[in-house]
Amino acid sequence: MKRAIAVVLCIISCFLLCPAVYAADLTISIQNTVVEYRPEGHYPTATASAYGYALRYEVTDSDSGERVALPITEIGNYTVRAYIEASGNRPGASAAATFSVIPATAYISVSESVVAHTAMANPVSYEISPAFAAEHLDISVEYRQISSLSDVGKAVEVPVDMGTYMVHFTATSRDGRVSCPGKYLLYRIEESKGETLSHTEAIRTVPREFTAHVADVNAVYNGESVVPDYSFNVPLAESRLMYSYVHADGKIGAYTSVPPVEPGDYVAALFVLDTVVGSGRIVIAKKSLDIYMADCSFPYTEEGVYPPKATVNPEGVELVYTAYRTRGGVAGEIVEFPLTECGTYLISARPASIAHYGYTVSYCLLTVEKAAPVISGEDAVYVEDGGFKSVPVSVTPAFAEYDISYYKLEGGVSTPIAGAPSKAGEYYAAVYVRENDRCKSATAVYGIYIKSSVDYNAVYAARVLKLLCLSVCLVAVVMGALHIYFAKRFGRR
């Protein structure tokens, strides 16, 4: 009994788990689709990994956003959502894609291009392929009787006489549902009827006899359009040059009437209606570019160093510069500008854009040298006043580190002293700039003379004057004494 219950529980579990498995695995795939118009309309198709029978579609006009019933019968762009609704144990899923209906391409089919001559008019008998397109087109026909392909001939209402006629069919769409390129036909009236053409030949829009020569062109980009020379053997037929870019894998892109300007590989094709009757190749090469840089060196600055501008030919081309730090003569990591460390760098210069110029690179070595310091100062003379007397010195650049040492000169011998001198005497100052990773070393010497505060010349002069005064006084005393002596002596007599 227990085993039976276990089996039943197992079966129930499987049923319960299956929807979860399906829900995880259920996917819907639908592709973007482009189709041509057809009167019966179109149904989108999708695939589902499970429950394909439950697929449903919801179609919306991409421009108006309005819901559209199936089948899709009008020209336009649509969004199709393929979906499966969740129901019971069945999971839900959806996917969307674009669905475009474009005008159907129709061709004018002529199966009899050579007919037998009769006395009656012989207009071209034609049909529209596919047949449904006929009610959407207006067709007009023009005839010119020609003697050769290069003959402009003469217009006729309808072919009657034997000969060759250039027939030009013009097709105009009535409602935009169908497009038709028209048709050129070489129509012949001869003694007997020609063979019936195959379907492929019957719907051909341009006769095989229409040929053109389009010259190959090799040009260098100069910002101007490149248009090749060409010749066409049928002056009566309308033709136009169209251009297409050739991709690297050899695929040809969409044709345009705009001639190429940018460097690249192009096809230049002469079209008559929708048919290429001749083509050539246009290759527009990129401009060659000359870049020149010479090795150079600059002293270190705190603002950093930028490389000098390279010489470029032609001028005005924007360049991109890159610096690589070199060690042991080997270029290493890329370094940002400005360069803020001394050393040697490999500098490369290349065009900022290679859309118009070939990839050209020029190299040079740029060396950022240690700055050479400049010491500015002068000898100094002071009078002793008890204060310290330093030498007036300035050092550039400002980041240079330097020391000043003082020495006393006495008896022809210099003796280092601690700090600036203050006492009278003869000294000199040695200024020394220390070398580091940014600056070179340098040395300068300046003399210092400190005079004594006592003026020995003035003292000597005062002493001489004092002695002179004393001498004058003594002479005056002696003369006075003698005068008295003689006056007394001779006065008595």
Side-chain angles (χ1 to χ4, degrees), residues 360-398:
T360 304
V361 186
S362 180
Y363 297 94
C364 75
L365 291 176
L366 186 154
T367 303
V368 180
E369 299 178 339
K370 293 181 179 182
V374 176
I375 304 172
S376 300
E378 56 184 14
D379 298 335
V381 177
Y382 299 100
V383 175
E384 182 182 24
D385 59 5
F388 293 103
K389 309 301 180 185
S390 60
V391 66
V393 170
S394 65
V395 178
T396 57

Side-chain angles (χ1 to χ4, degrees), residues 464-482:
V464 170
L465 184 59
K466 184 178 180 180
L467 290 174
L468 182 60
C469 290
L470 288 174
S471 300
V472 170
C473 290
L474 287 174
V475 170
V477 171
V478 171
M479 291 297 293
L482 289 174

Side-chain angles (χ1 to χ4, degrees), residues 146-285:
I146 60 173
S147 60
S148 66
L149 288 175
S150 60
D151 180 21
V152 295
K154 67 176 181 177
V156 296
E157 188 69 25
V158 64
V160 176
D161 300 328
M162 285 198 302
T164 302
Y165 296 83
M166 177 74 72
V167 186
H168 182 202
F169 294 85
T170 302
T172 304
S173 178
R174 296 173 183 169
D175 51 21
R177 291 188 174 98
V178 174
S179 67
C180 179
K183 185 181 185 74
Y184 280 101
L185 173 70
L186 288 177
Y187 184 64
R188 294 182 177 88
I189 299 177
E190 298 181 355
E191 292 184 356
S192 59
K193 177 182 174 181
E195 294 182 359
T196 300
L197 301 176
S198 67
H199 176 71
T200 301
E201 289 299 314
I203 64 172
R204 178 181 288 277
T205 56
V206 175
R208 293 181 183 276
E209 292 86 347
F210 284 23
T211 59
H213 173 73
V214 181
D216 293 334
V217 179
N218 289 294
V220 177
Y221 170 80
N222 62 4
E224 297 180 359
S225 301
V226 177
V227 178
D229 293 329
Y230 70 93
S231 60
F232 179 38
N233 68 335
V234 185
L236 272 176
E238 296 179 1
S239 62
R240 66 194 188 281
L241 270 175
M242 302 287 284
Y243 307 90
S244 176
Y245 182 78
V246 180
H247 296 276
D249 59 1
K251 292 182 179 179
I252 297 176
Y255 279 98
T256 174
S257 60
V258 180
V261 175
E262 298 296 318
D265 195 346
Y266 301 85
V267 169
L270 189 71
F271 276 78
V272 176
L273 301 179
D274 63 345
T275 302
V276 175
V277 295
S279 64
R281 185 182 182 188
I282 297 175
V283 177
I284 303 177

Side-chain angles (χ1 to χ4, degrees), residues 451-463:
K451 297 187 292 183
S452 173
S453 59
V454 179
D455 191 340
Y456 289 100
N457 290 330
V459 172
Y460 177 75
R463 288 179 178 176

Side-chain angles (χ1 to χ4, degrees), residues 72-129:
I72 303 171
T73 59
E74 295 298 327
I75 303 295
N77 297 311
Y78 303 88
T79 300
V80 177
R81 186 175 75 91
Y83 64 95
I84 295 175
E85 292 182 340
S87 176
N89 292 332
R90 186 180 70 198
S94 68
T98 60
F99 195 96
S100 299
V101 181
I102 63 175
T105 301
Y107 296 94
I108 299 170
S109 177
V110 177
S111 58
E112 306 288 345
S113 63
V114 179
V115 297
H117 176 257
T118 67
M120 306 300 291
N122 248 322
V124 175
S125 176
Y126 66 91
E127 296 177 346
I128 303 299
S129 178

Side-chain angles (χ1 to χ4, degrees), residues 279-302:
S279 64
R281 185 182 182 188
I282 297 175
V283 177
I284 303 177
K286 294 180 179 181
K287 273 187 176 181
S288 60
L289 189 66
D290 293 325
I291 305 174
Y292 175 75
M293 291 193 300
D295 293 347
C296 54
S297 61
F298 296 91
Y300 172 85
T301 66
E302 288 185 300

